[in-house]
Amino acid sequence: MNAWTFEGQPGALGDTVTLVEGSSFCVCARSGDILPGDAQGVYHSDTRLLSRWELRVDDAPVETLALIPAEPYHSTFLGRAHPRPGRVESTLLVVRDRYVGGGLREDLRLRNLSEEPIGCTVAIYVGSDVADLFEVKAGRARHVADVEMAPEETGLRVFAASRSRGARIVVESPDTPVTAAPGLLCFRIVVPARGEWRTTILVNPVIEGEESSAWFPVDHALEHAKPVRRLADWTRRSPVVRTGHSGLAKALHRSREDLGSLRLFDPDHPEDPPAIAAGAPWFMTLFGRDALLTSWMVLPLDQSLALGTLRRLARLQGTKSDPLTEEEPGKIMHELRFGVESGVSPHGGHAYYGSVDATPLFVMLLGELRCWGLHEGAAEELLPHADAALDWIEQYGGPDGLLWYQRKTDQGLINQGWKDSFDGINFADGTLARTPIALAEVQGYVYAAYLARAHFANNVADAETERRCLTRATAIRKAFNERFWLPDKGYYAMGLDGAGRPIDGFGSNMGHCLWTGIVDEERATSVAAHLMSPEMFTGYGVRTLATSMGAYNPMSYHNGSVWPHDNAIVAAGLMRYGFVEEAQRLALGLLDAARAFGGRLPELFCGFDRAEFPQPIPFPTSCSPQAWAAAAPVHLLRCLLRMDPWVPYGQLWIAPTLPHGFGELRIKDLPVAGARITIDVPADGRSAIVSDLPDGIELVTEPRPAITNACERLPCARSLKRP
């Protein structure tokens, strides 16, 4: 049996290591050095504070021995110096403990394993370009002309006046003075025989001219540092999962640690639960779509993340029309950036609203959180923002009742669904679709958003709002099934183009439509068969685009790759419509991929067939850790449990269907309606014993049926028990 409690490790892909905590992260070589010339560095608030950090002992590089991973924000780098004069082997061990958060802390130790003192020079070569994250990502980072590196008594001060940003490097070495010069920290030391020398170096960000205090201060024990306490609290409050499936156990553990490290705390609202960053290294900020889907998928793990995400996005909800940022009243933002105003990022330092799906997803998540027992006061607080979001859909979505997108200026994103690369939406022959575009999955999100709002109205006997929302949902469902279905192909179009033509690309989008319940049941069998066909299913996951399509490329970002979050949603859609074996097969394939990646699913991986290569092929620039990829194993577990809380109606639906060989499963302290329940699934995988259910909640041991008619079945919940 494996508990959801064993050791994790920081991101490690290829020759680099990523450490992350909130909006701070570090990308470095496995030696611990930060090498100039590529994307390595220490980043905070979308700014690269350090672009070089190289350790030398007696002007020679340190030979790498090992990387010892610890927490997501901490790793230990072991190395050895070159042999001393007259010796064949090294006797000087170099230990670098690095902590990332609000900048960087590095504890450096040199241990002498010989019987005579060692005299040597330790040097750290320092570089900084104070570059915006977008400059680095685009390969356009250049040294800012006015970056000054000024020596101070205890270190260096790096600052770019034109950008009001930089860092202060402080050396805490009471026994050995530091010699500081532009680009260099130098120590002349003696390491006692069988003894050691140590120092601590802090890199504190300077943003808008203000220096941030260290998150890992030297005068406090490490266990009292805020990131340590936050991660410990997150771990303590998380459910404990015990399962005979080691791959699932390891993936869930890695998910919990990664999600904990990616949380974003709003300093202006410290009382609020956190939201979550999209992923390291490129997306360490709040993205509306990513945060909403991630929060949805991790509800069995934690519901405060969803509440924090909704509150943060509500505060940023659009209030005016601005074509440059694409803000509109009621619209939920796409991306929040804090970088310098460099011109490289069209929305650097501001909120950018170029997303068509974040707005309906906001309403969907609020409705789902209500199903898990969201406090009535929080629901009342957020419901006006949900109504404003639905108003935006109606006023700005399109004249035909569908939700369309088209960027407002040439500075915006061309494609504004989750496949937002410029070539992500295409016809079967490979031709790019031209905007305006109505995406298939987005209509499903809008449909589900109106059903969610109808539930709120039903609970307070607001018959007029309930009827209006159900009528709107029914019309969207009817239009979708009439205009998107391709009878000659047996699947749904990826979208409609500006001329109203179906975009007949065969992709994973329709799996999201199963998830939201917008698909007519008589067509679901054909959809499921297409999704799990050899054209789409690699053995590890469903491709974003089928092999038979003109734009197919298994090494592309959105045209044939495999995205774990996409697959978790597809699996849930398959399970919703009763395709149990297909959902199990997809879940097992994704867990096999997680095992191949050391337990951590990356943002995406290449879409080569499993029969061609014996392991999934990494995508070179994939984020790892990445939020919705980390959330995917949690969502898969919920999918296999067929777990659906309906707390406002006094019901909890659980009908497990675990794959053969999973063995026994126990989930302890799973949060539902303010209580902590325990779920035990015996080895047969087909039943569940639930204990500690809150008062007034009935266990329903059958799968919740797919919605087939918005006015007659579940949306109005007339057949369900009312509280």
Side-chain angles (χ1 to χ4, degrees), residues 576-590:
R576 177 172 192 162
Y577 279 80
F579 300 103
V580 173
E581 291 183 7
E582 291 84 351
Q584 290 175 336
R585 186 178 169 208
L586 182 50
L588 289 172
L590 207 57

Side-chain angles (χ1 to χ4, degrees), residues 197-219:
W197 170 87
R198 63 175 60 205
T199 190
T200 294
I201 307 171
L202 302 174
V203 180
N204 295 334
V206 178
I207 306 295
E208 304 304 322
E210 294 291 327
E211 180 181 346
S212 301
S213 58
W215 289 11
F216 294 94
V218 177
D219 56 352

Side-chain angles (χ1 to χ4, degrees), residues 299-315:
L299 284 168
L301 171 64
D302 175 82
Q303 287 127 47
S304 68
L305 196 60
L307 180 58
T309 294
L310 289 167
R311 282 179 170 167
R312 187 86 181 269
L313 291 174
R315 288 194 290 269

Side-chain angles (χ1 to χ4, degrees), residues 5 29 86 112 141 155 265 300 417 464 669 677:
T5 49
N112 181 359
F265 295 84
E464 181 181 350
D669 292 334
I677 69 172

Side-chain angles (χ1 to χ4, degrees), residues 385-423:
H385 296 279
D387 287 336
L390 294 176
D391 287 344
W392 174 81
I393 291 172
E394 294 175 16
Q395 293 182 34
Y396 294 91
D400 58 357
L402 299 177
L403 182 53
W404 300 72
Y405 70 82
Q406 184 172 29
R407 64 180 181 176
K408 302 298 185 291
T409 75
D410 60 359
Q411 301 242 343
L413 290 170
I414 294 175
N415 285 317
Q416 299 191 351
W418 86 261
K419 297 178 182 178
D420 59 2
S421 51
F422 80 96
D423 61 348

